[in-house]
Amino acid sequence: MFEQLGLIGCGLMGGSFALALKRAGLVKRVVGYSKSPSTTEKARQMGVIDLAAPSALLAVAGADIVIVAVPVSATEATLKAIKHLVTPDMLIMDVGSTKTDVVQAARTALRDQIGSFVPAHPIAGKEVSGIEHADADLYKGRQVILTPLEKTLTAHLQKAATVWTAIGSQVIHMSPEQHDAAFAAVSHLPHLLAFAFINGIASQPAGDDYMALGGPGFRDFTRIAASDPKVWRDIMLANREELLAQSKLFQQALHNIEQAMEKGNAQALEDMLTLASETRAHWRMGAKRK
Amino acid sequence: MFEQLGLIGCGLMGGSFALALKRAGLVKRVVGYSKSPSTTEKARQMGVIDLAAPSALLAVAGADIVIVAVPVSATEATLKAIKHLVTPDMLIMDVGSTKTDVVQAARTALRDQIGSFVPAHPIAGKEVSGIEHADADLYKGRQVILTPLEKTLTAHLQKAATVWTAIGSQVIHMSPEQHDAAFAAVSHLPHLLAFAFINGIASQPAGDDYMALGGPGFRDFTRIAASDPKVWRDIMLANREELLAQSKLFQQALHNIEQAMEKGNAQALEDMLTLASETRAHWRMGAKRK
């Protein structure tokens, strides 16, 4: 399907995408670039990429598909760096967790070549990062949100949908704004809360002793608190308005439960816990949206 | 080791304890009682208990070990109901997630027989409840906290430790107060936050659509929000002071992160996320306390 994938950013997300395309026979060769030469070299040794490029621009040279898998704050500089070699036939995607800022960065950086860009957010990840955790199955069975701009070429949007579908993902289309509102709620807020929860315990003299008693509930609730701090710093800053709005709604719900506790209002407390428990018990990952 | 286990409350926790003792060959027969006769009957059909008792008192008759596995708010009434048949040779334990209230209830209910009581909290559970989920392996590899009273007989405390060790648990001794402070932090607070998080999303018109986009992070972070509302109502009321204190510390940590977001202070934000990420990355379930 493709001759050459240009991979910019040899980390968990980009590396997994390259492996998935290779395994599915969708690409003949992968040319990769990372800011750190040793990371690029590791990706080559692992067989994630076939050739190491000394710059982002050279990773794009001759590619018919490009994936930009860098922290969202580096998107604009990266797209600017490759702009001169972008052609109308080239499909360019990102994998960022926020979309309005990425779309803005792409408009600024790509200008007349913006039609090649299909913003993408695969709902997949691990609490560990780095090329050594790259996994051809990372996107299998996962949702991928595409948030095209008005100027995105239809042919590229269709090609993007075909690629993700071919590696096992379920493609959903949304506007960048819809995307950021939804993910503030279901992804960015849980990360914010998990980070704050760990810091709240760590701030106490007995914090280490307390954490030593954590069981399976603690383990699962806090898993995402081990996520990459730089990646999440960028996401939280990029989507801060939606995230702060979601945090306010959360704090209101928390306040309601705490009030019932303080007043000893067992029935009101049980009603609120029942709403949460039943809502969560009926949830299924990847269920079709209404 | 034991002739007869009296099981009061045929649910996930009690049923799993009975199955574990049976499999380890630690008990000859199990006599069980549940508030709901159909639950008791189900436990009998499943082989969790050998005989169904028509009352808590009769479940205790002739037992040399008794496990009280009822919601913590029912502990006092349950212990009062069995008091007349409690003997000094009988080991009685509970499995409640809070301990100062259970200890108070036991003092009030058991009076001169209090020496038989060893308060226990196994750090195990599932987000599903009910005898149908009982599992002989539930306590294997898990920590169990014993919080003896001053009047607890040493022989019973040792027997309790031996039983839990024999079914694969790691026994830890703490005071009831230490226990409740620690578990407010690592168990009760995560549940409170997970319940509030789901309710915050459910309160929005687009909440269902948002949740349909939740991925693995959402799944793990919210798993405990599906927990039994009645059980958690009781825990939150019983340990409300410690829990509200922990929630305050959490809210301070959340406020700190949000302030860095609002001010666009990327370095402060990254520092706080790094603290959380490194703390969580180094955590291991069941690691020895310092």
Side-chain angles (χ1 to χ4, degrees):
Chain A
M1 182 173 182
F2 294 103
E3 286 293 317
Q4 183 175 318
L5 167 67
L7 170 63
I8 304 177
C10 300
L12 172 69
M13 303 296 282
S16 297
F17 185 78
L19 285 177
L21 256 64
K22 283 189 156 198
R23 196 179 58 184
L26 293 169
V27 66
K28 288 194 186 152
R29 69 191 161 273
V30 178
V31 180
Y33 166 74
S34 262
K35 222 169 75 176
S36 148
S38 66
T39 302
T40 318
E41 178 53 23
K42 196 183 235 174
R44 203 190 54 76
Q45 283 168 3
M46 287 174 65
V48 174
I49 65 174
D50 303 300
L51 284 165
S55 69
L57 186 64
L58 283 167
V60 167
D64 45 359
I65 177 170
V66 170
I67 190 115
V68 176
V70 299
V72 282
S73 65
T75 305
E76 185 171 328
T78 304
L79 292 177
K80 273 185 177 157
I82 65 170
K83 205 236 171 205
H84 296 295
L85 288 186
V86 171
T87 65
D89 288 342
M90 191 183 282
L91 165 64
I92 306 175
M93 292 189 286
D94 76 317
V95 294
S97 297
T98 50
K99 285 283 144 299
T100 44
D101 64 319
V102 162
V103 160
Q104 187 51 47
R107 279 202 187 97
T108 306
L110 294 178
R111 295 166 166 271
D112 52 314
Q113 302 287 10
I114 189 72
S116 287
F117 187 62
V118 179
H121 175 204
I123 315 307
K126 298 183 180 178
E127 70 278 18
V128 290
S129 50
I131 187 71
E132 58 271 33
H133 301 288
D135 176 358
D137 279 328
L138 187 68
Y139 302 117
K140 204 173 159 183
R142 298 289 183 236
Q143 298 179 322
V144 174
I145 321 293
L146 303 181
T147 65
L149 298 79
E150 316 79 57
K151 292 190 178 170
T152 303
L153 298 177
T154 308
H156 283 319
L157 182 58
Q158 283 176 350
K159 234 187 289 175
T162 307
V163 174
W164 287 107
T165 305
I167 63 172
S169 303
Q170 180 200 341
V171 173
I172 294 170
H173 294 84
M174 297 174 78
S175 75
E177 294 74 22
Q178 282 176 322
H179 170 280
D180 284 3
F183 284 90
V186 297
S187 170
H188 309 167
L189 180 58
H191 280 80
L192 170 61
L193 301 181
F195 286 127
F197 170 74
I198 291 287
N199 284 356
I201 297 189
S203 73
Q204 303 174 54
D208 283 350
D209 283 344
Y210 289 173
M211 280 191 274
L213 296 165
F218 179 93
R219 176 194 62 204
D220 292 352
F221 182 80
T222 60
R223 182 176 65 77
I224 52 177
S227 300
D228 188 320
K230 284 186 207 295
V231 167
W232 282 93
R233 173 201 64 194
D234 286 356
I235 292 171
M236 286 181 182
L237 290 175
N239 200 25
R240 80 178 106 181
E241 279 174 39
E242 293 287 358
L243 177 51
L244 289 169
Q246 285 296 332
S247 181
K248 273 220 168 61
L249 292 171
F250 158 77
Q251 288 175 52
Q252 183 58 54
L254 177 61
H255 176 74
N256 293 344
I257 298 179
E258 291 192 336
Q259 262 206 329
M261 285 169 59
E262 280 165 6
K263 291 184 182 166
N265 190 338
Q267 190 57 54
L269 181 56
E270 185 184 330
D271 289 348
M272 285 184 276
L273 303 189
T274 301
L275 170 65
S277 178
E278 289 182 353
T279 302
R280 178 55 178 79
H282 289 115
W283 177 83
R284 289 292 171 273
M285 191 163 70
K288 290 279 178 215
R289 298 164 74 212
K290 284 183 209 161
Chain B
M1 182 174 183
F2 294 104
E3 287 291 318
Q4 184 174 317
L5 167 67
L7 169 63
I8 304 178
C10 298
L12 171 70
M13 303 295 282
S16 297
F17 185 77
L19 285 176
L21 255 64
K22 283 189 156 200
R23 198 180 56 183
L26 293 168
V27 67
K28 289 194 185 150
R29 65 189 166 274
V30 178
V31 181
Y33 166 74
S34 262
K35 222 170 74 178
S36 148
S38 67
T39 301
T40 320
E41 178 53 23
K42 198 183 233 172
R44 204 190 53 76
Q45 284 168 3
M46 287 174 65
V48 174
I49 66 174
D50 303 300
L51 283 164
S55 70
L57 186 64
L58 284 166
V60 167
D64 46 359
I65 177 170
V66 170
I67 190 115
V68 175
V70 299
V72 281
S73 65
T75 306
E76 186 172 328
T78 304
L79 292 176
K80 273 186 177 156
I82 65 171
K83 201 234 170 208
H84 296 295
L85 289 184
V86 171
T87 66
D89 289 340
M90 191 182 280
L91 166 63
I92 307 175
M93 293 189 286
D94 77 316
V95 293
S97 297
T98 51
K99 284 282 145 299
T100 44
D101 65 319
V102 162
V103 161
Q104 189 50 49
R107 280 202 187 95
T108 307
L110 294 177
R111 296 167 166 271
D112 51 315
Q113 301 287 10
I114 191 72
S116 288
F117 187 63
V118 178
H121 176 203
I123 315 307
K126 297 183 181 179
E127 70 279 18
V128 290
S129 49
I131 187 71
E132 59 270 33
H133 300 288
D135 176 358
D137 280 327
L138 186 68
Y139 303 116
K140 205 173 158 182
R142 298 288 183 237
Q143 298 179 322
V144 174
I145 321 293
L146 302 181
T147 65
L149 298 79
E150 316 80 55
K151 293 190 177 172
T152 303
L153 298 177
T154 307
H156 284 318
L157 182 58
Q158 284 176 348
K159 233 187 292 175
T162 307
V163 173
W164 287 107
T165 305
I167 62 172
S169 303
Q170 180 200 343
V171 172
I172 294 170
H173 294 84
M174 297 175 77
S175 76
E177 293 75 22
Q178 282 176 322
H179 170 280
D180 284 3
F183 284 90
V186 297
S187 171
H188 309 166
L189 180 58
H191 280 81
L192 171 60
L193 301 182
F195 286 128
F197 170 74
I198 291 287
N199 285 356
I201 297 189
S203 73
Q204 303 174 52
D208 283 350
D209 284 345
Y210 289 171
M211 280 191 274
L213 295 165
F218 179 93
R219 175 195 62 205
D220 292 352
F221 182 79
T222 60
R223 182 177 65 76
I224 53 178
S227 300
D228 188 320
K230 283 185 207 296
V231 167
W232 282 93
R233 173 201 63 194
D234 286 356
I235 292 170
M236 287 181 182
L237 290 175
N239 201 24
R240 80 179 105 181
E241 278 173 40
E242 293 287 358
L243 177 50
L244 290 169
Q246 286 295 332
S247 180
K248 272 219 170 61
L249 293 170
F250 158 77
Q251 288 174 52
Q252 184 58 52
L254 177 60
H255 176 74
N256 293 345
I257 299 179
E258 291 192 336
Q259 261 206 329
M261 285 169 59
E262 279 164 7
K263 290 182 183 167
N265 190 338
Q267 191 57 55
L269 181 57
E270 185 184 328
D271 290 347
M272 286 185 275
L273 303 190
T274 301
L275 171 65
S277 178
E278 289 182 354
T279 303
R280 178 54 179 80
H282 290 113
W283 178 83
R284 290 291 172 275
M285 192 163 68
K288 289 278 177 217
R289 298 165 74 212
K290 284 183 209 159

